[in-house]
Amino acid sequence: MIIILLAVFMTGCASNNQYYAEENSWKVSPLFVSGPYTMIGKEGRVGFIYNDTEVNRFYPGKQQKYIWHFWGSDPQESQALQGKELKITAVSKATGQRLELMKTKVQRTGTYYAQSEIWDNEPIVRVPSLMSLPTPGLWRLDAFIGEQLFGSVVVRVHERA
């Protein structure tokens, strides 16, 4: 009986650790398309509008607006996120420096953009942000909703030419 309980416990830990290990990867997150927008992150889970062009790249100290998107498994799960605290933190791969980039309540759901191809019944929550990272290199942006890690996005902060 103890062996069975231990096996069940280890299986649960392994799946949680696998998700956590995936979130702690230091590969730049992939770009993907959602509706009319190119985003960076994990498709179907977490990301923000970003297409790695000169205009919206991260550069040291450059503050810019990014619209975060969080996908629930269905519209009801996404609606349940509304009113919860959202905290975005960043950690530098090179130095281990940790920053809190923003803290707010999840308040925006449904269609955020006029004439958007993203409809109100999709399981998406959108939150605007202003973000700036201080030094070049890889940074992992961790999104916590409530006290739970919802997902992570790894970005490169480019050096100025």
Side-chain angles (χ1 to χ4, degrees):
M1 185 66 151
I2 293 174
I3 292 173
I4 292 171
L5 288 173
L6 186 58
V8 169
F9 176 75
M10 295 297 282
T11 302
C13 289
S15 62
N16 288 339
N17 287 339
Q18 179 181 3
Y19 178 74
Y20 188 73
E22 178 183 317
E23 297 303 320
N24 283 308
S25 169
W26 284 105
K27 290 182 358 186
V28 172
S29 295
L31 298 179
F32 63 93
V33 174
S34 179
Y37 306 105
T38 299
M39 299 189 185
I40 187 169
K42 184 173 182 180
E43 187 171 4
R45 183 67 178 170
V46 62
F48 53 88
I49 297 173
Y50 180 88
N51 61 11
D52 199 34
T53 62
E54 200 67 32
V55 172
N56 67 5
R57 276 188 179 159
F58 285 94
Y59 289 100
K62 176 186 173 191
Q63 187 171 29
Q64 188 153 315
K65 183 176 183 176
Y66 298 95
I67 308 293
W68 284 85
H69 291 65
F70 304 96
W71 284 263
S73 58
D74 57 47
Q76 291 75 28
E77 181 184 355
S78 294
Q79 286 291 347
L81 299 175
Q82 205 164 17
K84 291 187 177 180
E85 183 176 89
L86 168 66
K87 180 171 73 170
I88 306 291
T89 62
V91 62
S92 165
K93 180 182 181 189
T95 66
Q97 177 183 8
R98 293 183 180 276
L99 304 170
E100 184 176 293
L101 297 181
M102 72 179 264
K103 191 182 241 183
T104 189
K105 295 266 186 203
V106 176
Q107 297 175 349
R108 299 185 186 267
T109 60
T111 303
Y112 186 73
Y113 308 97
Q115 307 285 321
S116 176
E117 292 179 22
I118 300 174
W119 306 108
D120 285 333
N121 65 348
E122 286 195 37
I124 300 173
V125 176
R126 298 169 190 83
V127 179
S129 69
L130 289 174
M131 295 190 295
S132 173
L133 296 166
T135 57
L138 294 180
W139 287 79
R140 190 183 68 240
L141 310 179
D142 295 324
F144 294 88
I145 297 181
E147 296 295 318
Q148 299 292 324
L149 177 65
F150 194 84
S152 299
V153 179
V154 176
V155 298
R156 177 175 310 283
V157 177
H158 298 269
E159 292 195 34
R160 294 261 182 212

